Amino acid sequence: MDGIYLDNNATTRVDDSVVAEMLPYFTEQFGNPSSMHSFGNKVGLAIKKARLQVQELLGAAHESEVIFTSCGTESDSTAIWSALRANPERKEIITTTIEHPAVLALCSHLEKEGYKTHFLKVDDKGRLDLDEYARLLTDKVAVVSVMWANNETGTLFPVEQMAEMAHAAGVMFHTDAVQAVGKIPMDLQNTKIDMLSISGHKLHAPKGIGVLYLKRGVRFRPLLRGGHQERGRRAGTENTASIVALGKACELAQQHMHHENTEVKRLRDKLEAGILAKVPRAFATGDVSNRLPNTSNIAFEFIEGEAILLLLNKFGIAASSGSACTSGSLEPSHVMRAMGIPYTAAHGTIRFSLSRYSTEAEVDRVIQVVPEIVAQLRKLSPYWGENGPAEEPEKAFAPVYA
Amino acid sequence: MWDYSDKVKEHFFSPRNSGAMDEANAVGDVGSINCGDALRLMLKVDPDTETIQDARFQTFGCGSAIASSSALTEIIKGMTLDDALKVSNQDIADYLDGLPPEKMHCSVMGREALQAAIANYRGEVWSDDHEEGALICKCFAIDAVLIEETVRANKLSSVEDVINYTKAGGGCSSCHEGIEEILTKVMAERGETFSPHAVVLKEENKPSKLTNLQRIKRIETILDAIRPQLQRDHGDIELVDVDGKTIYVNMIGACAGCQMEAQTLQGIQTRLMEDLGEFVKVVPSRAGSYVRAASHV
């Protein structure tokens, strides 16, 4: 499909060489890796290779620390439930207000089951207060779960430091790293991170495959019990083709790590600067000096995100928005709200997320199109006057009910 | 991506009558910034004939909010104010060949802006107690606020009650966990505990002393008493059948497909129960707008 795809934090194109690598595992190599015969044996070896490839990208000490799961959400749920079951006397969880729903909704649910969840707040740049965190780290806490990079803004969190602090306090530490793995280098063997979640489709592997990294020696209770797969830590017949694919995708991500942090970053910076230079009343959200190399989240004031996306789509440009309307909920993105972005801007946030497939020509085209779209929608907005926002926009337009 | 009709897309990409109108003599501002949509409707009304000569809008909102605003201005141009007041949100949605259930509130916003603008022209104060909550039942587009208020007002205690009173949860049933959460919360307010296993002891129906014919006539009389209220809102109700405890009715005119239909029916049901002294269930015999909404799911 033609078009300009700048929504790589949502999902990515499966790399052609990844597809080529996985295809034989549907037909010629269809065996069950648990079987004793030669149909299964080769598949078992392929999974072993994939595990090594994942280990390499993560900088993990042992291949057995890699547990294949079905997705990032399963990895998150497994990690948090495991910590709670392994520490039944501890009834508190620490997480953040800006987590992905995979963690946030689970923690909110656990509150109903009698657990106390501390949601760490962020400042206007999306940064955490580590003093607040330190105060909460007590022996009542079963697990800390903090994302490595935020999916909407790309803001990076000091998870290595936070893991050290948790470790010193005797608390387990999990990080949802689905946005970070493959985009920034990692060396887990030299960290105190106990558990880490990966999602295959965020790094050019297929959907439906994930990994839970589990540091050797960390107490663990499986979510799915049954067969002996994954050393009994995740029962269920292996998704062999996708495991092979994820292995290959990790190898490729490792090869492109330098490119991601130089060329992709350069294109992202060019895109952001180009748009902000041409569009008044727009600003980048999050901690722009400390974020993923591929992500730019821009708030366009006084217009609504879904409308922007529909017009971008007309030009063949794919991005995503933190607006309420794109999700069907009434509230705009919880990440924007947590950072205190006002409603008139939070509804107009657009996330551009690049990949190694993004090109200079695509970025140039988006820089050209976005200002026209924003101007077109602002012309419709009751908050916008002739050449700028209506004077005192909140007063100029005050609807009857709110 | 939403499954917008071609008509919605067309009105979004090429909105009619957008922009400010300096000579407007009727202006209605409605919306909810938190929900991300707000609409200013501007009308030029001929004082002699009370005819809408021109209509324009400015909208901060999503694709369907802009399309609904555009559709509204097209519908009402040339109408008298009295005729314009008969335009329902469903008319706006129909004009656009339907809206996804999550987006029906965009058409409601259009209708409210129209009411607000006409009130503004007539020097009246328009106020709305309209409050929206998170969408719970996607099949029938029913939100948490409506369910909560209904549970509170009628002291409901089971998911089945909620289905009977609001229709919420009566479709695919995926939202039953959400409904149970509302029940748990509201029942706690009145000092009760929600139990999914509780045997619902409906007030045992007293044997009706009326004959079938007398009972139906009585129902007719009660409906006749309610009718003027409905007609004032340009709607009506018609008795279709009575089958034991279930009373089938037709909602007509503006009542048909009105967002408040569930609440209206529930009010009628309460009235019937009071007057008949027995438990009855009022059910719309024609599924109406909700079926349309459900077909988009």
Side-chain angles (χ1 to χ4, degrees):
Chain A
M1 198 178 97
D2 284 339
I4 300 174
Y5 188 77
L6 297 183
D7 201 11
N8 287 283
N9 285 12
T11 195
T12 56
R13 178 191 196 282
V14 180
D15 195 287
D16 289 335
S17 59
V18 168
V19 175
E21 193 96 358
M22 77 187 285
L23 282 179
Y25 292 88
F26 289 105
T27 50
E28 295 132 55
Q29 302 293 341
F30 64 87
N32 188 324
S34 303
S35 303
M36 290 306 294
H37 46 65
S38 61
F39 286 91
N41 188 30
K42 281 189 181 162
V43 183
L45 290 174
I47 290 180
K48 185 176 165 66
K49 181 182 167 197
R51 210 181 296 279
L52 289 167
Q53 287 164 317
V54 176
Q55 180 200 350
E56 175 74 19
L57 179 64
L58 295 180
H62 310 279
E63 60 170 288
S64 61
E65 293 174 330
V66 173
I67 303 172
F68 290 109
T69 66
S70 69
C71 59
T73 297
E74 185 194 326
S75 301
D76 290 339
S77 261
T78 304
I80 292 170
W81 277 113
S82 167
L84 296 178
R85 288 178 180 148
N87 301 286
E89 71 294 347
R90 297 185 172 206
K91 299 290 182 194
E92 293 184 15
I93 303 165
I94 298 176
T95 186
T96 74
T97 50
I98 43 74
E99 291 301 306
H100 187 274
V103 169
L104 210 53
L106 173 62
C107 289
S108 300
H109 174 76
L110 287 167
E111 293 231 289
K112 288 179 212 155
E113 307 229 326
Y115 292 93
K116 167 75 193 153
T117 304
H118 303 282
F119 295 95
L120 296 173
K121 292 187 193 60
V122 294
D123 66 9
D124 58 350
K125 298 274 182 216
R127 293 170 299 204
L128 295 167
D129 176 357
L130 292 191
D131 292 336
E132 183 195 4
Y133 171 59
R135 280 193 298 275
L136 291 170
L137 277 175
T138 66
D139 59 7
K140 291 181 195 146
V141 178
V143 64
V144 177
S145 181
V146 174
M147 65 194 344
W148 197 310
N150 183 265
N151 48 313
E152 293 189 29
T153 61
T155 301
L156 296 166
F157 296 99
V159 287
E160 287 157 301
Q161 186 189 349
M162 293 177 83
E164 294 279 351
M165 291 164 73
H167 185 77
V171 176
M172 283 189 190
F173 189 91
H174 165 254
T175 179
D176 176 348
V178 301
Q179 295 293 348
V181 171
K183 292 177 193 148
I184 55 171
M186 289 180 186
D187 185 29
L188 293 184
Q189 60 193 318
N190 290 314
T191 72
K192 292 286 190 281
I193 292 169
D194 295 311
M195 295 176 282
L196 173 145
S197 302
I198 304 182
S199 169
H201 73 101
K202 306 287 190 193
L203 61 147
H204 306 286
K207 294 150 188 70
I209 185 71
V211 160
L212 176 65
Y213 159 85
L214 176 70
K215 191 179 276 296
R216 180 171 286 185
V218 171
R219 295 172 62 233
F220 183 74
R221 300 291 179 270
L223 187 68
L224 298 183
R225 290 179 191 269
H228 58 89
Q229 295 89 354
E230 304 300 292
R231 297 169 191 257
R233 296 169 302 179
R234 200 282 187 180
T237 300
E238 298 88 341
N239 183 358
T240 50
S242 291
I243 288 172
V244 167
L246 178 57
K248 181 68 182 175
C250 286
E251 185 190 312
L252 292 172
Q254 185 81 311
Q255 286 168 12
H256 289 94
M257 190 60 77
H258 179 70
H259 177 87
E260 185 85 23
N261 286 279
T262 51
E263 184 59 12
V264 175
K265 182 171 186 289
R266 183 185 71 79
L267 288 177
R268 187 273 314 270
D269 290 342
K270 180 180 179 183
L271 175 73
E272 186 170 280
I275 291 174
L276 293 180
K278 286 203 203 168
V279 181
R281 299 303 295 252
F283 57 92
T285 70
D287 189 359
V288 292
S289 59
N290 179 36
R291 59 179 167 168
L292 292 173
N294 78 319
T295 310
S296 169
N297 189 302
I298 301 179
F300 298 98
E301 290 188 271
F302 310 115
I303 52 176
E304 200 277 335
E306 185 201 296
I308 302 172
L309 291 184
L310 289 171
L311 287 173
L312 282 172
N313 190 48
K314 213 180 158 197
F315 288 94
I317 300 166
S320 65
S321 167
S323 100
C325 278
T326 48
S327 64
S329 72
L330 295 169
E331 279 279 312
S333 143
H334 65 285
V335 178
M336 297 303 144
R337 297 290 301 131
M339 292 192 294
I341 308 277
Y343 279 113
T344 42
H347 282 292
T349 53
I350 299 292
R351 177 187 69 189
F352 299 99
S353 46
L354 286 68
S355 78
R356 58 179 186 253
Y357 298 113
S358 303
T359 66
E360 188 106 30
E362 290 177 337
V363 165
D364 289 341
R365 175 78 178 135
V366 177
I367 293 173
Q368 183 196 349
V369 165
V370 166
E372 297 167 22
I373 289 176
V374 172
Q376 185 182 338
L377 287 171
R378 280 182 176 163
K379 229 184 260 176
L380 292 177
S381 171
Y383 294 102
W384 195 258
E386 280 293 309
N387 295 307
E391 280 185 32
E392 294 189 78
E394 306 283 347
K395 282 185 195 162
F397 184 75
V400 191
Y401 65 83
Chain B
M1 187 64 93
W2 301 109
D3 185 14
Y4 284 138
S5 71
D6 290 340
K7 201 83 179 277
V8 172
K9 287 184 208 157
E10 211 261 316
H11 273 264
F12 167 67
F13 288 127
S14 317
R16 325 288 197 272
N17 315 308
S18 65
M21 186 204 282
D22 292 334
E23 66 278 22
N25 55 2
V27 178
D29 288 353
V30 295
S32 161
I33 300 315
N34 306 8
C35 311
D37 45 26
L39 160 60
R40 167 176 289 167
L41 179 68
M42 292 150 285
L43 307 178
K44 189 176 156 198
V45 181
D46 179 349
D48 298 328
T49 59
E50 287 215 328
T51 306
I52 299 171
Q53 292 175 313
D54 198 8
R56 298 183 78 79
F57 75 92
Q58 286 179 296
T59 295
F60 166 89
C62 59
S64 55
I66 289 169
S68 295
S69 309
S70 168
L72 171 68
T73 55
E74 286 289 279
I75 293 171
I76 60 173
K77 266 206 270 184
M79 280 187 174
T80 64
L81 295 185
D82 285 338
D83 283 342
L85 279 174
K86 289 179 197 153
V87 174
S88 68
N89 76 292
Q90 191 64 46
D91 291 335
I92 298 169
D94 287 348
Y95 185 89
L96 292 168
D97 295 337
L99 287 169
E102 289 89 343
K103 298 291 193 170
M104 281 302 283
H105 68 94
C106 294
S107 64
V108 174
M109 186 172 73
R111 161 145 174 96
E112 287 169 345
L114 178 60
Q115 290 173 312
I118 293 175
N120 170 257
Y121 175 80
R122 292 179 168 166
E124 297 161 3
V125 178
W126 181 81
S127 64
D128 196 284
D129 53 2
H130 174 103
E131 194 189 343
E132 272 181 1
L135 191 64
I136 299 286
C137 171
K138 293 198 174 184
C139 294
F140 300 128
I142 297 168
D143 69 14
V145 171
L146 191 139
I147 297 173
E148 206 176 305
E149 285 172 356
T150 309
V151 168
R152 194 171 286 124
N154 298 281
K155 294 202 166 51
L156 305 186
S157 57
S158 72
V159 173
E160 196 196 8
D161 285 345
V162 173
I163 295 173
N164 288 337
Y165 277 72
T166 67
K167 291 192 81 165
C172 72
S173 82
S174 310
C175 63
H176 285 193
E177 184 181 1
I179 294 175
E180 286 189 11
E181 281 174 17
I182 293 175
L183 284 164
T184 305
K185 180 184 143 196
V186 178
M187 287 176 72
E189 287 170 14
R190 57 178 200 249
E192 294 175 34
T193 311
F194 170 75
S195 162
H197 310 296
V199 182
V200 185
L201 287 172
K202 287 268 176 275
E203 197 178 315
E204 202 41 57
N205 307 322
K206 288 171 228 149
S208 183
K209 284 170 194 139
L210 305 170
T211 66
N212 257 347
L213 185 63
Q214 284 171 324
R215 187 158 165 263
I216 288 170
K217 280 187 172 164
R218 182 76 159 271
I219 293 168
E220 281 281 20
T221 315
I222 300 164
L223 289 181
D224 281 342
I226 297 168
R227 188 159 284 125
Q229 283 173 295
L230 301 177
Q231 285 169 342
R232 205 160 46 227
D233 290 335
H234 311 286
D236 209 338
I237 190 168
E238 157 185 284
L239 181 64
V240 175
D241 198 4
V242 181
D243 181 9
K245 300 293 172 203
T246 311
I247 300 173
Y248 293 94
V249 298
N250 248 349
M251 300 300 278
I252 302 173
C255 290
C258 169
Q259 288 260 311
M260 308 296 284
E261 183 177 288
Q263 282 188 337
T264 309
L265 283 174
Q266 176 202 312
I268 293 168
Q269 175 172 293
T270 310
R271 180 83 173 269
L272 283 164
M273 283 199 280
E274 281 167 7
D275 283 28
L276 291 170
E278 59 174 318
F279 177 81
V280 293
K281 194 159 84 177
V282 176
V283 176
S285 74
R286 176 199 48 77
S289 62
Y290 291 129
V291 169
R292 201 187 345 259
S295 70
H296 287 285
V297 175

